[in-house]
């Protein structure tokens, strides 16, 4: 990972404690109310990207847990990959050892949240922001960006499987999405250049109890600062038996930062 010093910063005025989880992952905690929100960043990202969003959660109602994958935040590990994101998330869940009301993941963090939910169902509800539908799509786009030839492209995919210990079929989030019954808010920008919008739509259609929130021209990362999106996330996290739990039947695109339902 190539994480900037600014993105590694941890605001001690916001964080009550940061805990080493083992295997070079960390967990930052802001103690508060009874509802527990667990957050997982994306590749080369970190806690500062989520400050505006996390500040919107009322401390009297929510306790916040932010997972730092290896190579991110306080961790200066030289190696990270999807399996290490997944392991960090599972270590955080084991450390918290309490029901988690909402899990929020961005980009690769969304993939990790999705994978862990399919495996052990630890989250009552999920927010997937700019998440991939299939990790193979991410790797294939990167190989094309590097202009790898056919043999090098195949060797790259095989090396990723060897490094992570996870078959690419196991990182097909659309394939196992039908088994995730918890309410899910899928968020994606129509003009995301890193993870195309079509991948968010694919997840939305595959998840039985999903709603789709579409932003326009906020890209892959800038949308984390959008006030309308943040309001929607907080409302979804606060909802019990409301419209936020109802699955959507189809996707309808409207004005910027509106819900497709």
């Amino acid at each position: 990972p190539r994480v900037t010093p600014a993105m590694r910063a941890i605001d001690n005025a916001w964080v009550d404690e940061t805990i080493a989880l083992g295997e070079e992952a960390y967990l930052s905690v802001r103690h508060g109310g009874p509802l527990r929100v667990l957050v997982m960043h994306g590749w080369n990202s970190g806690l500062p990207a989520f400050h505006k969003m996390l500040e919107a959660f009322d401390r009297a109602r929510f306790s916040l847990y932010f997972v730092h994958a290896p190579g991110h935040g306080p961790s200066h590990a030289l190696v990270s990959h999807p399996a290490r994101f997944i392991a960090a998330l599972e270590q955080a869940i084991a450390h918290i050892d309490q029901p988690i009301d909402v899990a929020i993941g961005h980009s690769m963090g969304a993939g990790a949240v999705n994978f862990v939910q399919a495996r052990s169902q630890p989250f009552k509800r999920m927010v997937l922001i700019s998440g991939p539908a299939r990790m193979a799509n991410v790797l294939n786009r990167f190989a094309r960006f590097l202009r790898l030839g056919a043999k090098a492209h195949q060797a790259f995919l095989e090396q990723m499987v060897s490094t992570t210990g996870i078959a690419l079929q196991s990182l097909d989030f659309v394939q196992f999405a039908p088994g995730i019954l918890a309410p899910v808010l899928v968020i994606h920008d129509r003009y995301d250049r890193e993870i195309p919008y079509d991948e968010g739509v694919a997840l939305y259609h595959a998840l039985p109890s999903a709603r789709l929130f579409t932003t326009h021209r906020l890209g892959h990362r800038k949308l984390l600062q959008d006030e309308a999106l943040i309001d929607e996330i907080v409302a979804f996290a606060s909802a019990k038996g409301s419209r936020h739990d109802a699955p959507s039947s189809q996707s309808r695109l409207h004005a910027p930062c509106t819900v497709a339902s």
Side-chain angles (χ1 to χ4, degrees), residues 17-97:
E17 58 179 332
T18 296
I19 302 153
L21 294 174
E23 298 185 28
E24 302 176 281
Y26 289 80
L27 179 68
S28 289
V29 183
R30 190 191 78 175
H31 299 293
L35 296 177
R36 298 178 184 87
V37 177
L38 180 64
V39 183
M40 184 94 204
H41 61 80
W43 189 256
N44 287 345
S45 186
L47 183 56
F50 292 82
H51 273 164
K52 187 172 182 179
M53 180 191 301
L54 298 179
E55 285 297 332
F57 285 95
D58 181 3
R59 190 163 190 160
R61 298 190 64 198
F62 295 96
S63 291
L64 304 178
Y65 302 85
F66 192 92
V67 185
H68 307 274
H72 298 73
S75 171
H76 289 270
L78 299 179
V79 175
S80 199
H81 48 66
R84 301 203 82 185
F85 270 62
I86 291 166
L89 186 58
E90 291 182 328
Q91 289 164 4
I93 293 166
H95 177 84
I96 296 167
D97 195 26

